[in-house]
Amino acid sequence: MSDRHEPADAISVRGLRKTYRGAGGAEVEALRGVDLTVPSGSIFGLLGPNGAGKSTFINILAGLVVKSAGSVRIWGFDQDANPRMSRASIGVVPQELNTDPFFTPREALEAQAGLYGVPKSRRRSDEILAALGLADKAHAYARSLSGGMKRRLLVAKALAHDPAVLVLDEPTAGVDIELRRSLWSYVRELNARGVTIILTTHYLEEAQEMCDRIAIIDKGRVAACEDTPALLSRLQDKTLVIHPETPLAAAPAGLDGLRATLRPNGDLALPYARGADDPLDLVARAQAAGVMVRDISTEEPDLEDVFLALTGDRAA
Ligand SMILES: Nc1ncnc2c1ncn2[C@@H]1O[C@H](COP(=O)(O)OP(=O)(O)O)[C@@H](O)[C@H]1O
Ligand SMILES: [Mg+2]
């Protein structure tokens, strides 16, 4: 991998749009003008809820879905002007487990390498299968593999032509903890060897654990794109929820300086900065303001809060 030239940006996408036409003639705007740059050598996360457009984006990169408008450069190659080189630069692990039941893993890798014109002398099928713990299944029919093995085979297939960029679409959906751990450690190893990694997920935790940089995509648009620490620093607020003996009709007076809000069920919500504020002080303040505390709980920010924080920020 060290012998190949490395452009500054592994992926560069401008004005990308995709409109699907459904059976009834209804149109779905899956991507509504996406600009995105993935720096070479990074582990980049595409984070967003179901239906956000992540797979559409990935499948356009892979050449599996035809874009409606915009430009895509992969490893410096324009997808339209240089389709062969741009396709050779990327390997995609799809969201669905679509293995060919009649191929053995080794045959699947050889076929994939052949498809990309990799000469026999430069193929690394056995090495890749071994790295993914499939060496002893090299000659088994794919239909006899477990779900976890099929997932690893898809990763192996995506690597068969030695792409500069590896894309994993929801790699841990339905995957057990052990496979998840081994998958991540292998992805990190590939990245250390120079492979740029893009992964999609709808779990904030997963993106923050793995990625150097995260783009948040929602309803076909990029809501934010930042280095992970910068993104997380926006999410330092937790919420203390006070469940009173009887539901409150209004937020009590005397909580000045706190961003207290009343929930529809009569609970009192008090945001606080993780590590800086003491939630027990907030409980004391509420009690001093006359709230009879029955119970308390705390809430972590979730993806929804991230969107709100970001869109709130943008409006400001
Ligand atoms: N082949 C298709 N035909 C019509 N609509 C589609 C097709 N694929 C995806 N969509 C729609 O496009 C939107 C984005 O879907 P998708 O890219 O799969 O999002 P994600 O991967 O983030 O869950 C959704 O509204 C989805 O229903
Ligand atoms: Mg998807």
Side-chain angles (χ1 to χ4, degrees), residues 18-23 26-31 48-59 65 95-96 169-170 200-202 217 220:
K18 176 63 189 180
T19 306
Y20 291 106
R21 274 165 233 290
E27 294 192 345
V28 180
E29 276 192 280
L31 297 177
N50 282 323
K54 303 182 299 295
S55 291
T56 299
F57 181 84
I58 295 311
N59 290 336
V65 166
Q95 191 170 349
E96 312 83 45
D169 195 0
E170 307 264 357
T200 78
T201 178
H202 53 272
I217 180 162

Side-chain angles (χ1 to χ4, degrees), residues 201-253:
T201 178
H202 53 272
Y203 298 116
L204 177 63
E205 206 175 287
E206 186 159 283
Q208 74 189 50
E209 178 192 336
M210 283 299 292
C211 303
D212 314 319
R213 195 168 166 81
I214 297 174
I216 295 184
I217 180 162
D218 185 35
K219 300 190 182 75
R221 289 199 173 87
V222 177
C225 183
E226 289 182 84
D227 287 344
T228 307
L231 189 74
L232 291 178
S233 72
R234 294 169 178 257
L235 297 175
Q236 286 308 298
D237 274 1
K238 288 188 68 171
T239 303
L240 172 76
V241 183
I242 294 179
H243 313 280
E245 289 291 351
T246 49
L248 301 176

Side-chain angles (χ1 to χ4, degrees), residues 99 105 109 134 142 145 149-157:
T99 49
L109 261 64
L134 290 170
L145 305 181
M149 290 173 186
K150 282 181 183 157
R151 174 99 32 204
R152 283 183 273 146
L153 175 55
L154 289 176
V155 177
K157 265 181 77 178

